[in-house]
Amino acid sequence: CAERLQHELIPERSNGIDKTRRDKYLANEVCRAAGMAMPAQAAPTTWKDAEAFLTKLRGSDSELRCVLKPRRGTASVGVFAAQGMEQAREIYGLLSKTVVSIDKTELADVNVVLQELLIGDEWIVVSTLAHMAHLTGAIGLTRVRCARRIP
């Protein structure tokens, strides 16, 4: 990881190692603590806990729509939107067995993040590392209109 290399090789240019940068659940919780509106989320350790969160999330709505994603990753790899409890269970089973890093210090006890599915505008910030400095390369707006389904 470029962040770790920079921290070790050029410590005077490093802003430290913060696992929140790579942990989707923790990053959202930091944003929530700062007062930003964030989707309801959970990082359950079992399907039973996941099902309880999703049941509460669905409330009185007849249809469950939610997002399941690996706790760590980039570029929306492994991010799915499920429609219904059965589909959510299938995706949870797949993601809970997925290894998200070879670095054991970065592995959490939980590999899956569940979130409410929000439809609307989503801002995406693309950043990169150039000359050992983090730069914002692009800011874009996408419209989230429908749920992706597992193949």
Side-chain angles (χ1 to χ4, degrees):
C1 171
E3 176 187 32
R4 286 176 182 234
L5 282 173
Q6 180 174 341
H7 186 71
E8 293 297 323
L9 299 176
I10 314 171
E12 66 275 9
R13 299 282 308 268
S14 173
N15 58 2
I17 295 174
D18 183 355
K19 74 178 200 173
T20 304
R21 290 184 190 126
R22 293 175 301 281
D23 187 314
K24 295 174 185 179
Y25 179 82
L26 289 179
N28 280 345
E29 291 305 308
V30 167
C31 290
R32 186 185 322 281
M36 295 176 69
M38 302 303 294
Q41 69 172 7
T45 57
T46 65
W47 169 247
K48 182 179 178 181
D49 293 340
E51 187 175 32
F53 170 79
L54 295 173
T55 299
K56 182 179 175 184
L57 183 65
R58 178 175 56 195
S60 61
D61 293 341
S62 60
E63 183 181 355
L64 170 68
R65 298 188 317 167
C66 64
V67 175
L68 295 93
K69 60 176 107 177
R71 191 156 176 168
R72 184 178 185 275
T74 59
S76 296
V77 174
V79 177
F80 297 96
Q83 296 182 356
M85 197 66 78
E86 185 57 32
Q87 192 176 46
R89 185 190 61 73
E90 186 177 345
I91 297 168
Y92 180 88
L94 173 72
L95 292 177
S96 64
K97 296 174 187 151
T98 302
V99 176
V100 295
S101 176
I102 59 171
D103 184 349
K104 293 190 185 314
T105 65
E106 291 190 359
L107 298 177
D109 293 336
V110 179
N111 287 337
V112 184
V113 175
L114 308 174
Q115 293 178 335
E116 66 179 314
L117 176 65
L118 302 176
I119 304 296
D121 296 341
E122 177 181 18
W123 290 95
I124 299 172
V125 178
V126 178
S127 63
T128 188
L129 184 68
H131 305 292
M132 302 310 280
H134 290 281
L135 305 171
T136 298
I139 298 176
L141 176 66
T142 62
R143 307 251 185 238
V144 181
R145 292 196 169 102
C146 63
R148 283 188 283 168
R149 297 173 187 230
I150 59 172

